[in-house]
Amino acid sequence: MTYVLDEVINQKLNAVFADLGYDTKYAVSKISDRADLSDFQCNGALALAKSEKKNPREIGEEIAAKLRDDKAFAKVSVDGPGFLNLTLDDVFLADVLDKMAADERFGCALTKQPKTVVMDYGGPNVAKKMHVGHLRSGVIGESVRRIEEFVGHKPIADVHFGDWGTPIGMILAEVIAADGHLDKMETYDIAEITRFYKQANIRCKEDPAAKENARIITAKFQDGDPIYRKAWQHIRNISVEAVKENYRELGVHFDLWLGESDAHETCSVIKKMAEEKGLLEHDDGAFIIRLDEENKPKPPVIIEKSDGGFTYQATDIATIKMRVDDLQADEIIYFVDKRQSLHFEQVFETAEKLGIASGVTLRHIGFGTVNGPDGKPFKTRDGGVMSLDDMIQMSKDKVAESMPAPDEAKGFSKEYIDRLTAQIAIGAIKFQDLKNNIASGYVFELDDFANFDGKTGPYIQYAVARINSIMRKNQNLAAGEIVMTNPEERALGLKLTQLNNTVFRAEADKEPSVISDYAYTLAQLFSSFYNASPIMGAETSEIAASRLALAKLTRDVLIKLLYLLGIEAPEVMLKA
Ligand code: ARG
């Protein structure tokens, strides 16, 4: 059984509250807001004061008096209007750290209410190269997926491929314009398809008739015309392959490779349900559902366009039904650009009206854009859209500048160096993305994002590699029981005990930056610890063994944190 410090402290508070006849719902601790005063705090006395009609300080003192009998606390004080400040005893803290080190979950609880969480991220579109916007969705979604899994939920990640709209009709029209038929369709690879799409885009912008033609063709393949369907299938297949390769390189995983097309049949079911419930209206040839116009007016949802095609909104509503019915989702979370907020509000409200997701939590986690130094969406040097490939290559080139040449790195093959370069480059890109609050956009720092110093992925990777090297140097020493001998050890140790709290906060808020912040602080605290607390020069062999244990635990926790961010932790780092 994992020993969870937060729970243990709450149990201690609980016992005291119960003993004094106070409502135990206020017996909760949190990490202290005043690290100068305490390690943990409990604000229960303030809450109790109202119902008990007593002075909060008086209640605080009563509770404090009892807590002072507990050896776990070195100091218990009541401060300000009645804050209860708790400082852990060093022996107790060291024992907690020993327990963490012996536990494969490092003292992290498992959720008491495991849920099936369907996660919708990635969202690439057929025939279009992935750009940096798709990067954010994939990087954030993957990190949250790992966090959900770690705390004991069951995440199911679905890429929700954009494979059903007009772009396909445009490509088909373009191929027909070039070849006169679709017979050669299956000989075209992703580069050719992408070229057709680009041409089609230009043509449709200039010529309304071309646009109309693409629309008609779209309706045809959606309707099931076998020749058009076959061509569509080919475009979808090769696009999925290309996208899979991209995500493989980024370390982004999906359980399902479904798309908008998979919702097609269910769209008809939705339309019928809406009709039966009296929600469907015929409006100017289209079928729509009006939304609550009183509280927060929103435009109606268009289910079916006047040409008979289902909309992006319809596919999303149908997909909710499928995720609830087939996947038994308790929660569905969308990691999509925040500019689509209104779309999701409309979709969620419609789902509620239709009763297809009762008891299911629907959540849109909207994120901001990746910007260039000018504050506008990130572009290539020549002003084009920055594709994911370009960005990965750019990052690799940057990292390669600080890598030794293979003949200078003794004992390391070119393959190792190439792989290391990729691990660092991807780590740098991801960390830069995940160090920011999700909702805000960020400026891609071209010069600093891959530095070994500063708040970067490589800095954390380097901290891990450094501890690995410390462990190798002390191979003849075994890690022992942890003891606290100086303030730097204590600061590091205390931070380590906040892992459980950190992970659960990140999970609740779907916010990987909680993890990246913590990892950065932990790596910094390790540096101060190691400067102040030599292992080889330790006063006694027990202290040396304790420091080694603390170093090892820090390393293992950092590796876990990097994992939760979707970043690899290379064993050895090299520098030119
Ligand atoms: N393919 C869409 C786009 O590129 C994103 C899909 C997001 N997921 C969803 N269920 N709507 O904008």
Side-chain angles (χ1 to χ4, degrees), residues 120 123-125 134 160 162 260 312 316 323 334 336 340 343-344:
D120 184 311
N125 301 309
H134 295 114
H160 200 73
E260 292 171 12
Y312 179 51
D316 258 328
R323 287 171 175 169
Y334 299 81
V336 184
Q340 292 193 29
H343 165 77
F344 286 106

Side-chain angles (χ1 to χ4, degrees), residues 199-215:
Q199 284 165 13
N201 240 329
I202 299 169
R203 196 193 295 272
C204 289
K205 268 198 194 111
E206 288 168 354
D207 177 5
K211 206 172 159 190
E212 176 59 13
N213 185 34
R215 195 191 57 74

Side-chain angles (χ1 to χ4, degrees), residues 524-560:
Q524 283 180 311
L525 287 174
F526 180 80
S527 267
S528 329
F529 152 82
Y530 196 61
N531 286 339
S533 325
I535 295 180
M536 292 216 208
E539 295 91 314
T540 65
S541 58
E542 282 80 15
I543 295 179
S546 155
R547 289 178 180 165
L548 194 66
L550 209 45
K552 183 173 179 301
L553 176 59
T554 306
R555 179 200 61 178
D556 293 347
V557 168
L558 283 173
I559 293 175
K560 176 61 84 185

Side-chain angles (χ1 to χ4, degrees), residues 443-457:
V443 172
F444 200 97
E445 291 156 23
L446 275 171
D447 295 321
D448 300 329
F449 78 105
N451 280 359
F452 283 140
D453 288 321
K455 197 171 175 182
T456 66

Side-chain angles (χ1 to χ4, degrees), residues 332-389:
I332 308 176
I333 314 177
Y334 299 81
F335 297 85
V336 184
D337 192 316
K338 66 179 175 194
R339 287 172 290 188
Q340 292 193 29
S341 292
L342 177 62
H343 165 77
F344 286 106
E345 282 173 32
Q346 289 175 299
V347 165
F348 296 170
E349 193 175 320
T350 311
E352 195 187 320
K353 274 182 176 293
L354 292 170
I356 56 173
S358 60
V360 178
T361 311
L362 304 174
R363 220 166 144 177
H364 169 217
I365 305 288
F367 51 78
T369 48
V370 185
N371 300 322
D374 58 355
K376 299 208 182 92
F378 203 32
K379 295 262 174 8
T380 53
R381 278 186 206 285
D382 53 27
V385 178
M386 179 70 87
S387 76
L388 201 54
D389 295 330

Side-chain angles (χ1 to χ4, degrees), residues 4 29 133 138 151 202 213 235 246 322 370 372 414 417 482 540:
V4 185
S29 64
V151 310
I202 299 169
N213 185 34
I235 298 177
N246 253 307
M322 294 162 74
V370 185
K414 180 174 179 319
I417 294 176
I482 295 175
T540 65

Side-chain angles (χ1 to χ4, degrees), residues 72-285:
F73 304 115
K75 194 174 150 232
V76 179
S77 64
V78 182
D79 301 286
F83 297 115
L84 212 51
N85 276 305
L86 312 171
T87 303
L88 298 183
D89 174 75
D90 282 0
V91 175
F92 176 78
L93 174 59
D95 182 53
V96 172
L97 292 166
D98 283 335
K99 290 191 168 85
M100 272 182 84
D103 173 20
E104 58 180 23
R105 297 190 55 77
F106 310 112
C108 289
L110 276 169
T111 175
K112 299 195 174 50
Q113 286 140 342
K115 289 183 190 146
T116 298
V117 185
V118 173
M119 304 183 56
D120 184 311
Y121 54 81
N125 301 309
V126 151
K128 283 198 238 175
K129 252 182 163 269
M130 282 211 275
H131 57 74
V132 291
H134 295 114
L135 169 82
R136 285 217 85 183
S137 177
V139 167
I140 297 167
E142 175 66 16
S143 173
V144 176
R145 186 184 71 81
R146 293 180 186 209
I147 297 168
E148 298 291 349
E149 191 162 68
F150 181 61
V151 310
H153 293 298
K154 185 185 161 206
I156 303 176
D158 179 13
V159 73
H160 200 73
F161 219 64
D163 61 358
W164 204 234
T166 339
I168 303 260
M170 286 160 63
I171 297 168
L172 296 182
E174 199 61 36
V175 173
I176 294 170
D179 297 348
H181 48 72
L182 290 170
D183 299 353
K184 282 187 358 208
M185 196 65 219
E186 274 161 43
T187 64
Y188 294 130
D189 63 11
I190 188 74
E192 282 155 325
I193 302 276
T194 311
R195 218 182 41 241
F196 279 122
Y197 179 63
K198 275 195 188 143
Q199 284 165 13
N201 240 329
I202 299 169
R203 196 193 295 272
C204 289
K205 268 198 194 111
E206 288 168 354
D207 177 5
K211 206 172 159 190
E212 176 59 13
N213 185 34
R215 195 191 57 74
I216 293 169
I217 292 182
T218 304
K220 270 196 181 164
F221 84 77
Q222 289 190 348
D223 248 7
D225 177 300
I227 293 172
Y228 287 80
R229 265 300 163 91
K230 197 159 161 259
W232 163 80
Q233 188 66 53
H234 173 70
I235 298 177
R236 187 188 199 277
N237 289 351
I238 56 167
S239 299
V240 167
E241 262 171 56
V243 164
K244 275 192 176 166
E245 181 50 31
N246 253 307
Y247 283 130
R248 195 198 51 74
E249 174 148 42
L250 268 182
V252 173
H253 168 86
F254 293 96
D255 301 292
L256 299 173
W257 284 83
L258 297 175
E260 292 171 12
S261 63
D262 293 281
H264 187 62
E265 313 269 281
T266 312
C267 283
S268 311
V269 179
I270 293 292
K271 186 183 163 197
K272 198 148 165 266
M273 281 181 85
E275 198 164 13
E276 280 163 12
K277 287 192 181 272
L279 296 169
L280 201 68
E281 278 179 46
H282 207 177
D283 185 71
D284 207 11

